[in-house]
Coordinates of all heavy atoms in Angstrom, one line a residue:
Chain A
Q50 N 94.2 134.9 82.0 CA 95.6 135.1 81.8 C 96.0 135.4 80.3 O 96.9 136.1 79.9 CB 96.5 134.0 82.3 CG 96.6 134.1 83.8 CD 97.5 133.0 84.3 OE1 98.1 132.2 83.6 NE2 97.8 133.0 85.6
F51 N 95.2 134.5 79.4 CA 95.6 134.4 78.0 C 94.8 135.4 77.2 O 95.2 135.9 76.1 CB 95.4 132.9 77.5 CG 96.2 131.9 78.1 CD1 95.6 130.7 78.3 CD2 97.5 132.2 78.6 CE1 96.4 129.7 78.9 CE2 98.2 131.3 79.2 CZ 97.7 130.0 79.3
R52 N 93.6 135.6 77.5 CA 92.6 136.4 76.7 C 91.9 137.4 77.6 O 91.9 137.2 78.8 CB 91.6 135.5 76.0 CG 92.1 134.5 75.0 CD 92.5 135.2 73.6 NE 93.0 134.2 72.7 CZ 94.4 133.8 72.7 NH1 95.2 134.4 73.5 NH2 94.8 133.0 71.8
K53 N 91.3 138.4 77.0 CA 90.5 139.4 77.7 C 89.1 138.7 78.0 O 88.2 139.1 77.4 CB 90.4 140.7 77.0 CG 91.5 141.6 77.2 CD 91.1 142.9 78.0 CE 92.0 144.0 77.8 NZ 93.3 143.9 78.4
M54 N 89.1 137.8 79.0 CA 87.9 137.0 79.2 C 87.8 136.7 80.8 O 88.9 136.3 81.3 CB 87.9 135.8 78.5 CG 86.5 135.5 77.9 SD 86.6 133.7 77.4 CE 87.4 133.8 75.9
K55 N 86.7 136.9 81.4 CA 86.7 136.5 82.8 C 85.3 135.9 83.1 O 84.4 136.0 82.3 CB 87.0 137.6 83.8 CG 86.4 138.9 83.6 CD 87.0 139.9 84.6 CE 86.2 141.2 84.6 NZ 86.7 142.1 85.6
K56 N 85.1 135.4 84.3 CA 83.9 134.6 84.5 C 82.6 135.5 84.4 O 81.6 135.1 84.0 CB 84.0 134.0 86.0 CG 82.9 133.2 86.4 CD 83.3 132.4 87.6 CE 82.1 131.5 88.1 NZ 82.2 131.2 89.5
T57 N 82.8 136.7 84.9 CA 81.6 137.6 84.8 C 81.2 138.0 83.4 O 80.0 138.2 83.1 CB 81.7 138.9 85.7 OG1 83.1 139.4 85.4 CG2 81.7 138.6 87.1
T58 N 82.3 138.1 82.5 CA 82.0 138.5 81.1 C 81.9 137.3 80.2 O 81.8 137.5 79.0 CB 83.1 139.5 80.6 OG1 84.3 138.7 80.5 CG2 83.2 140.6 81.5
G59 N 81.9 136.2 80.7 CA 81.9 135.0 79.8 C 81.0 133.9 80.3 O 80.3 134.1 81.3
E60 N 81.0 132.8 79.5 CA 80.1 131.7 79.9 C 80.8 130.5 79.5 O 81.5 130.3 78.5 CB 78.7 131.8 79.2 CG 78.9 131.9 77.7 CD 77.6 132.2 77.0 OE1 76.6 132.5 77.7 OE2 77.5 132.2 75.8
I61 N 80.6 129.4 80.4 CA 81.1 128.1 80.0 C 80.1 127.3 79.3 O 78.9 127.2 79.7 CB 81.5 127.4 81.3 CG1 82.8 128.0 81.9 CG2 81.8 125.9 81.1 CD1 83.4 127.3 83.1
L62 N 80.5 126.9 78.0 CA 79.6 126.1 77.2 C 79.5 124.7 77.6 O 78.4 124.0 77.4 CB 79.9 126.3 75.7 CG 80.0 127.7 75.3 CD1 80.5 127.8 73.9 CD2 78.7 128.4 75.3
D63 N 80.6 124.2 78.0 CA 80.6 122.6 78.2 C 81.7 122.3 79.2 O 82.8 122.9 79.2 CB 80.8 122.0 76.8 CG 80.7 120.5 77.0 OD1 79.9 120.0 77.8 OD2 81.4 119.7 76.2
C64 N 81.5 121.4 80.1 CA 82.6 120.9 80.9 C 82.3 119.4 81.0 O 81.4 119.0 81.6 CB 82.5 121.5 82.3 SG 83.6 120.8 83.5
V65 N 83.2 118.6 80.4 CA 83.0 117.2 80.3 C 84.2 116.5 80.8 O 85.3 116.9 80.5 CB 82.6 116.9 78.8 CG1 83.7 116.0 78.2 CG2 81.3 116.2 78.7
E66 N 84.1 115.4 81.5 CA 85.3 114.6 82.0 C 85.8 113.7 80.9 O 85.0 113.0 80.3 CB 84.9 113.9 83.2 CG 86.1 113.1 83.8 CD 85.9 112.5 85.2 OE1 84.8 112.6 85.7 OE2 86.8 111.8 85.6

Side-chain angles (χ1 to χ4, degrees):
Chain A
Q50 282 185 0
F51 299 146
R52 297 280 180 275
K53 274 249 199 294
M54 218 199 280
K55 48 186 191 173
K56 187 166 174 200
T57 44
T58 65
E60 53 191 7
I61 287 188
L62 303 171
D63 188 31
C64 172
V65 111
E66 182 172 355

